Amino acid sequence: MSPTPILEVRGLKKHFAARSGLFEEKATVKAVDGVSFSVMPQESFAVVGESGCGKTTLGKLVLALERPTEGSILFEGRDVGAMSRAELKAMRSRLQVIFQDPYSSLDPRMTVAQIIAEPWDIHGLHKNPAERAKRLHKLLDDCGIAKSFLDRHPHEFSGGQRQRVGIARALALEPKLIVADEPVSALDVSIQAQVLNLLKDLQKEHQLAYLFISHDFSVVRHLCTRIAVMYLGRVVETADSETLFNDPQHPYTEALLSAVPVPDPAVEKRRKRILLSGDVPSPLKPPPGCRFHPRCRYAVDSCRVSDPALDEARPGHAAACAVLPFKDRRSDAALVAL
Amino acid sequence: MEPPVLSVRGLRAHFVTRERTVKAVDGISYDLAPGRTLAIVGESGSGKSVHALSILGLLPTPPAKIVAGEILFQGRDLLKMPPSELRAVRGNRVAMIFQEPMTSLNPVLRVGEQIAEAVVLHQKKSQAEARAKAIELLRKVGIPHPDKRVDDYPHQFSGGMRQRAMIAIALSCEPDVLIADEPTTALDVTIQAQILELMKTLQKEFKTAIILITHNIGVVAEMADDVVVMYAGRAVETAPVGELFRNPRHPYTRGLLASVPSIYERKERLEAIGGQPPDLGAGDIPGCPFAARCPVAEARCKTDDPPQFSLPGGRMTACWKAEAEGAERTHRFAPVKGAAS
């Protein structure tokens, strides 16, 4: 019997009402449209996709900041949708978030000490000043923040330092799962490396699970052990990280990986790139059949009408494609392997 | 080798206010040959964009001031050109595309009109000819149904299409130099791949020299022939792209390359560069601006500012370690005497 997942998402949907133009009919944006996955304790699970694929909405649903249209979310085996307000609050001490933008996610009028300690005030924890100071110092140490920062305000710090404060705040309640929505995408690369190393160290030390939301495959590869690739509100492929990078099965994953520039000119000269034609279609009018078919170079007639389900053809490796996965492929398709 | 189409010599652009002086660009020199791509890479605040804006005379003066240097375009110094002549070069012989395609297009003008504008202005074509040219350019940059989309407004275009339209505007007069400031940073990776491919194709067709300003090391590896690495307003290393990645000479370049995660290998830890870049408004830094974060810094690095040393193969590094290894101080890249007005 395998252990209980810390997070389980089943058939999750979130639809928003929208108008595509002033005089046009009402429409529905299917931001998340039938997503299922689970995250095990101490696992780092990534949701990867391009803008508009629904990954941020998915994060908000998991954090119970949005109510799902359909489907359920189980946190430590309990249905989040059925929780009372008090239960939700209690859950939130075990489920924390790190935001993308370290500039807008810290209150400019609070000191670093107040920002990090605010979760304790909200949850009525560690009221003893001596104990609080001790915990605060431990968090600063863990997150690589100098003690002299405590009485200063966010504007005095650079992006990387602010993100460390945001991470310390997320850790204050000793959560078990952290949802991190693009936590390093606003940072310069040398600072990004510092923060990624920090997230890795903290995961070991605090036995954390991460739900890591990102558009950046290189970052995900470094940090995460399992990956779900999203396209237009759906998960099109999930696999463990090594398998996904070495043997992608969905045509979208394959093209996405081939589009990522590699920081090595020798590799860049050798590799072939699959150029996807066109843009991501509007989520207001997703294409019929397989949502990826208008941009897919393997598409056949049936792709235009039938919508493939996510099929776990190999243990732990699932793809939603009727044509490509797990079959003999043209040799030039295996571009990602060197 | 052909003579360079653009040469930048000891450029220094400072922002001077009553309270302080920010030395945003404080020493960059390079040559750009026709049809080549030079990448300028650095992190936020390293001066790469300010340097680009100074080439085209687009910096607000004051507070900005070009305190030294020359920018030679086909042998003529753009910094000394009268405004009317500079206008004839800008957007015509030297064009630029910006990071954010939404804010750099005019939302109340049709896309076609914005492309035609440069053609009418610089090539003295009629409105009808310019419109035909706009349609042809939209087709070239891969916009479907260009004869219809030419009458669209920018908001009817997606992010990738807007950047294509920007490229069409920039290439409308077949410029000799294209400055691309983070052209794909705002775009998704599959769209980025399309745009980079398009830039390469058009470069071949028009023999345009490209200055590509980016913080993305992967994009540098894919696009560049030569690279200038900037740190704290200075060029700290210059090298052909293959050499730079194979054998980086400046400790900052080494740190930068090692800190980049790659989809090809999973490293247990990334080699982060400790500390933060210096605050350029906090007064002069004695010594090398990278010394505080440098793993191999010596006593002298903290007090003496390293000059630029030339290395074999047309390379340059601004690091005292190079002198110890026998490199010579460069004279060509030495700061230009006196302040230009």
Side-chain angles (χ1 to χ4, degrees), chain A residues 51 194 221 273 276 279, chain B residues 158 188 194 222 263 266 273:
Chain A
S51 4
Q194 294 175 3
R221 169 147 215 193
R273 190 155 269 144
L276 289 180
D279 292 313
Chain B
S158 68
D188 276 319
Q194 295 173 1
E222 184 187 341
I263 60 161
R266 183 183 168 87
I273 306 175

Side-chain angles (χ1 to χ4, degrees), chain B residues 111-123:
Chain B
V111 171
E113 291 171 326
Q114 302 190 49
I115 301 173
E117 197 179 2
V119 179
V120 171
L121 182 71
H122 293 297
Q123 300 188 336

Side-chain angles (χ1 to χ4, degrees), chain A residues 122-195:
Chain A
I122 292 168
H123 289 270
L125 293 169
H126 316 312
K127 288 184 177 147
N128 176 323
E131 192 204 341
R132 188 170 275 218
K134 205 179 119 204
R135 285 182 177 268
L136 208 49
H137 284 141
K138 170 84 167 58
L139 278 172
L140 293 184
D141 260 0
D142 287 356
C143 297
I145 306 169
K147 304 249 186 310
S148 60
F149 283 21
L150 273 180
D151 296 319
R152 292 162 68 185
H153 292 84
H155 75 266
E156 299 175 66
F157 305 118
S158 67
Q161 290 164 329
R162 284 177 212 221
Q163 202 54 305
R164 288 174 189 268
V165 174
I167 293 171
R169 174 178 61 186
L171 286 175
L173 295 170
E174 297 168 28
K176 288 292 145 207
L177 174 66
I178 290 185
V179 177
D181 189 352
E182 304 271 15
V184 297
S185 65
L187 307 177
D188 270 318
V189 48
S190 71
I191 308 299
Q192 173 179 301
Q194 294 175 3
V195 173

Side-chain angles (χ1 to χ4, degrees), chain A residues 278-279, chain B residues 135 138-150 152 157-158 161 164:
Chain A
D279 292 313
Chain B
I135 294 172
L138 285 175
R139 180 174 297 119
K140 257 196 183 126
V141 297
I143 302 277
H145 313 298
D147 48 329
K148 294 200 181 67
R149 302 310 294 255
V150 71
D152 277 2
F157 275 30
S158 68
M161 284 164 67
R164 286 171 190 269

Side-chain angles (χ1 to χ4, degrees), chain B residues 118-195:
Chain B
V119 179
V120 171
L121 182 71
H122 293 297
Q123 300 188 336
K124 314 281 179 253
K125 296 250 170 81
S126 72
Q127 289 292 344
E129 287 172 316
R131 183 186 159 86
K133 172 102 189 197
I135 294 172
E136 182 206 322
L137 282 162
L138 285 175
R139 180 174 297 119
K140 257 196 183 126
V141 297
I143 302 277
H145 313 298
D147 48 329
K148 294 200 181 67
R149 302 310 294 255
V150 71
D151 293 321
D152 277 2
Y153 288 96
H155 75 268
Q156 293 167 291
F157 275 30
S158 68
M161 284 164 67
R162 282 178 207 143
Q163 200 56 294
R164 286 171 190 269
M166 279 300 299
I167 293 175
I169 295 172
L171 294 179
S172 58
C173 299
E174 301 181 16
D176 301 299
V177 177
L178 175 69
I179 303 171
D181 187 0
E182 304 271 10
T184 58
T185 305
L187 305 176
D188 276 319
V189 50
T190 59
I191 309 298
Q192 165 172 286
Q194 295 173 1
I195 297 290

